[in-house]
Amino acid sequence: MIKIAVMGYGTIGTGVVQVIGTNQDSICKKVGEEIEVKYILDVRDFEGDPIQEKVVHDYQVIANDPEVAIVVETMGGVEPAYTFVKAMLLAGKSVTTSNKALVAAKGADLIATAKEKNVNFMFEASVGGGIPIIRALNSCLTADRIEEICGIVNGTTNYMMTKMTEDGCDFDEVLKEAQAKGYAEKDPTADIEGHDAGRKIAILTSLIAGQQVDFEDVHTEGITKISATDILYAKKMDRSIKLLAISKQVGETYAVMVAPFLLPKDHPLFSVNGVFNAIFVRGNMLGDAMFYGSGAGSLPTASAVVADVVELAKHIGKHIELEWKSQKLTIADYRQQAMRFFVRTTKDQAAIENAFGNVEYIEVPQAGDEIGFVTQEMKEAEYEEKAAKLGAIRQMIRFH
Ligand code: HSE
């Protein structure tokens, strides 16, 4: 019998208990032993709930119980999650977490502690919800040098962009729906400003580079400035607007950014809609691969957490090597990446061509006092100079 504890009985924690309850037989067969949730750590009591008798309020009860071999962390945030997880690893327990804030900030430290104590620290659910992308990078694609990752890694914003495109709903209404469905973070600013996606691409880049990428270094733009007018232009261009998290190899490092992009119809991420996530990976031997699935929500995320529990249970007493050094990676300047740019301005054609030379004009009936155009391919640093020369820019969205 393997006893586990769940720290944090919110959206994901309740999902973890539900997944283990529903699929108990098949999960236990895969592990080769029974699995039982012994403790649930939460500040609340959950009176009348069947799990009430398992509830504890002090994490030391779990850390000091030698019967508990595996701990699930689904609290969110860096503290107190970090203190609790560190204590569990130091007490010789393996840990899995769905908490990207914790992994992005403390991943290298917690992996090193796990190695020191001959246990494991896993975090499959921290990126892509139920999609097995971490295990793919750590176990399946290890023969490759990863040249590029390009992903839709935030379910809330993808759901919102899809609804705004398909139903013409407004921003606030769609955000409320996403929150009600349990996709959004407690503070949805992290979703809509791109910080959640920034943490996820920082985690993925740390894994492929083998060293620490600080999410604070990732250039991050969210979807708050995307309007119904942008969507009209996108439709006219046969493109969709998606919040992408991109990491591209540049020599020995990576250029990393999160921003809304205009994707063409033939791009594999074009039709990834709703709460779905997809992560496109290019390896130097493999070529292209794509991982697609449910990227947020209680049960999909809990499914990834419980898959980690199974993996941890199979490796009790054996540390699985994972390269993520704490030494910080200096990431490349994203402004040296070349692409085309869609621009909306109130300036006239003469001024546009004076600044940008040849451009492709995009006409929509609702343009009013503005002109929409697409530049030639150029580095972002060059775009910034030309845009400053033109002035009066209402919107810029990058082409992919
Ligand atoms: N708020 C996150 C999202 C949850 O919408 O993708 C999953 O990480």
Side-chain angles (χ1 to χ4, degrees), residues 304-373:
V305 173
V306 177
D308 271 356
V309 170
V310 171
E311 204 61 15
L312 292 171
K314 285 178 177 172
H315 291 92
I316 286 176
K318 184 180 182 331
H319 175 72
I320 304 166
E321 202 52 45
L322 181 56
E323 207 201 6
W324 179 344
K325 296 193 201 99
S326 56
Q327 183 196 359
K328 183 175 151 167
L329 182 76
T330 305
I331 58 177
D333 181 3
Y334 74 96
R335 289 176 309 149
Q336 295 306 317
Q337 299 291 305
M339 63 193 90
R340 299 178 76 197
F341 299 85
F342 166 69
V343 181
R344 288 169 44 211
T345 177
T346 47
K347 289 288 181 76
D348 61 18
Q349 289 199 356
I352 292 169
E353 286 164 31
N354 183 38
F356 281 95
N358 275 345
V359 297
E360 182 188 339
Y361 291 104
I362 311 295
E363 285 169 25
V364 295
Q366 302 83 350
D369 64 343
E370 66 176 41
I371 296 178
F373 68 93

Side-chain angles (χ1 to χ4, degrees), residues 103 111 123 127 133-135 137-138 146 149 201-213 322-324:
V103 179
I111 288 165
F123 42 91
V127 180
I133 180 64
I134 304 282
R135 197 134 26 246
L137 292 176
N138 288 344
I146 304 299
I149 291 181
I201 196 69
I203 293 170
L204 296 180
T205 311
S206 298
L207 288 175
I208 59 176
Q211 63 186 93
Q212 177 69 21
V213 173
L322 181 56
E323 207 201 6
W324 179 344

Side-chain angles (χ1 to χ4, degrees), residues 27-34:
I27 290 168
C28 294
K29 272 187 204 145
K30 282 164 199 153
V31 173
E33 263 186 86
E34 292 283 307

